Amino acid sequence: MPSKPSLSEVQAANASSTWSNRPTAVFVGGTSGLGEATARALATATKESQYDFIQCEVSNMKNIVDAAQEIRSKLSGGSLNYLVLSQGIWLFVEPKQVLNGIDLRLFVDELMPLLEKAAAKGEDARVMTVLNPNGAETIDVSDLGRKTTTSGISLANAAAAYSNVMIEEYQKLHPNLGFYNIFPGLVSTPNMKAGAWWTQPFIAIARVLLMIKPEESGERMLSALLNPEYKTGGFYLDQYAAQVSVTKENEEVRKAVLDHYRSEVAV
């Protein structure tokens, strides 16, 4: 098994990255935590970057459509190289407060023309979902809307499972793009403060013993995003940007997930 690269090695590799174009990226959930850290790492690597901010409450699908329309307007005549879905999922909340994992695929579809345009020019065109591919639970086709879910943890695992399915299917539909589901590791982010009071002592201990800083996670996420081996296809990655094996659903289940997604976004 290859050894994990050190943080200094990852930073050096990111700093040496070059592009024939000035890359354009969209970070969903880029205002704090590992999303912000990855955006900052990319900005440092590209140098002389420009930034914009679009407010979007992503738990509402109409908001996603409106935000995507605004992005397309701002990038009129241009293309999109990187779409990073890095919105946080906090495990110790009521399930109704967490997305079901399918909603944010709408960002991918809405921005797909910009991604395809980049791919047609030979540029990077990649979509990264930041969840845990190995944390996926078996999909229950009788409750794809997660109406009977009783915990945030279960819903987060379902989100990972749906993302795995979408990656497997979307790489077939868009063979010139790269799609990832990547586990960021245990990251000390502001999202950790959103839990119930009783979780805070455990989180404080985990911050010291187990968690990494967002800055380190951001550099490692960026190294995966820029890895030339992952330019096209579907990939399931760990926190060190190494590929991991995942249990894949059968064709019937994958079709059910896609059909459910299409029915949800058609509303």
Side-chain angles (χ1 to χ4, degrees), residues 24-87:
T24 303
V26 171
F27 288 83
V28 180
T31 56
S32 67
L34 64 91
E36 179 189 14
T38 309
R40 288 184 178 277
L42 177 60
T44 299
T46 56
K47 305 175 181 65
E48 298 182 2
S49 300
Q50 298 177 357
Y51 315 93
D52 207 338
F53 172 74
I54 296 173
Q55 183 174 354
C56 179
E57 172 49 65
V58 296
S59 62
N60 184 303
M61 284 192 285
K62 183 180 183 303
N63 293 346
I64 293 176
V65 173
D66 291 343
Q69 182 177 358
E70 187 173 350
I71 291 169
R72 292 196 303 270
S73 176
K74 290 179 180 292
L75 296 179
S76 178
S79 56
L80 178 61
N81 301 110
Y82 308 112
L83 173 59
V84 180
L85 304 176
S86 58
Q87 74 295 332

Side-chain angles (χ1 to χ4, degrees), residues 213-234:
K213 294 181 178 180
E215 292 76 16
E216 176 177 348
S217 179
E219 292 286 352
R220 295 190 182 279
M221 296 299 99
L222 181 61
S223 71
L225 192 63
L226 303 182
N227 192 321
E229 295 182 9
Y230 304 152
K231 184 169 184 177
T232 60

Side-chain angles (χ1 to χ4, degrees), residues 53-213:
F53 172 74
I54 296 173
Q55 183 174 354
C56 179
E57 172 49 65
V58 296
S59 62
N60 184 303
M61 284 192 285
K62 183 180 183 303
N63 293 346
I64 293 176
V65 173
D66 291 343
Q69 182 177 358
E70 187 173 350
I71 291 169
R72 292 196 303 270
S73 176
K74 290 179 180 292
L75 296 179
S76 178
S79 56
L80 178 61
N81 301 110
Y82 308 112
L83 173 59
V84 180
L85 304 176
S86 58
Q87 74 295 332
I89 292 181
W90 176 242
L91 304 181
F92 302 102
V93 295
E94 292 297 322
K96 65 183 179 180
Q97 295 175 279
V98 185
L99 293 172
N100 68 16
I102 288 183
D103 312 63
L104 286 163
R105 285 293 115 186
L106 187 55
F107 260 120
V108 180
D109 284 345
E110 289 288 320
L111 298 178
M112 186 57 71
L114 295 176
L115 290 160
E116 289 280 17
K117 188 173 181 179
K121 294 189 291 185
E123 300 172 1
D124 276 353
R126 312 188 187 198
V127 179
M128 174 184 282
T129 302
V130 183
L131 285 169
N132 181 3
N134 273 330
E137 65 178 31
T138 301
I139 293 175
D140 179 3
V141 295
S142 68
D143 186 26
L144 290 172
R146 310 301 295 174
K147 303 300 183 184
T148 62
T149 299
T150 58
S151 76
I153 293 176
S154 176
L155 199 51
N157 291 340
Y162 294 163
S163 292
N164 285 354
V165 167
M166 300 300 266
I167 286 170
E168 186 170 357
E169 294 302 309
Y170 271 50
Q171 67 170 314
K172 302 172 187 175
L173 296 172
H174 308 282
N176 294 325
L177 274 67
F179 297 91
Y180 322 148
N181 186 2
I182 185 169
F183 178 53
L186 298 176
V187 186
S188 178
T189 68
N191 198 29
M192 292 295 178
K193 299 178 181 178
W197 65 268
W198 59 267
T199 67
Q200 296 307 308
F202 300 101
I203 291 172
I205 295 172
R207 285 184 191 275
V208 176
L209 299 179
L210 301 173
M211 294 185 182
I212 63 174
K213 294 181 178 180

